[in-house]
Amino acid sequence: MAKIKVTLVKSTIGQVESVKGTVAALGLKKIRSSKELDDTPAIQGMIKKVQHLVKVENV
């Protein structure tokens, strides 16, 4: 399965709780924290919801 690297580049301060929860569910805690995840439709949907806060790279 393809992998993608998701990095938190902006703070979640001031965001609604659902966005904060989505960032936490992706496994991101602090700015510049990264996580390698499987490229599934569920993960893609989560990334789309928080696309203004994260950077995504193919691995």
Side-chain angles (χ1 to χ4, degrees), residues 7-49:
T7 305
L8 186 63
V9 294
K10 292 183 93 177
S11 174
T12 59
I13 294 174
Q15 300 295 321
V16 295
E17 287 299 318
S18 63
V19 170
K20 291 180 183 181
T22 303
V23 169
L26 286 170
L28 305 173
K29 297 181 182 197
K30 296 182 176 181
I31 295 176
R32 290 189 292 279
S33 64
S34 296
K35 197 79 165 178
E36 283 191 18
L37 304 165
D38 291 330
D39 192 10
T40 63
I43 297 295
Q44 287 295 331
M46 293 167 76
I47 290 171
K48 187 173 182 180
K49 183 169 183 171

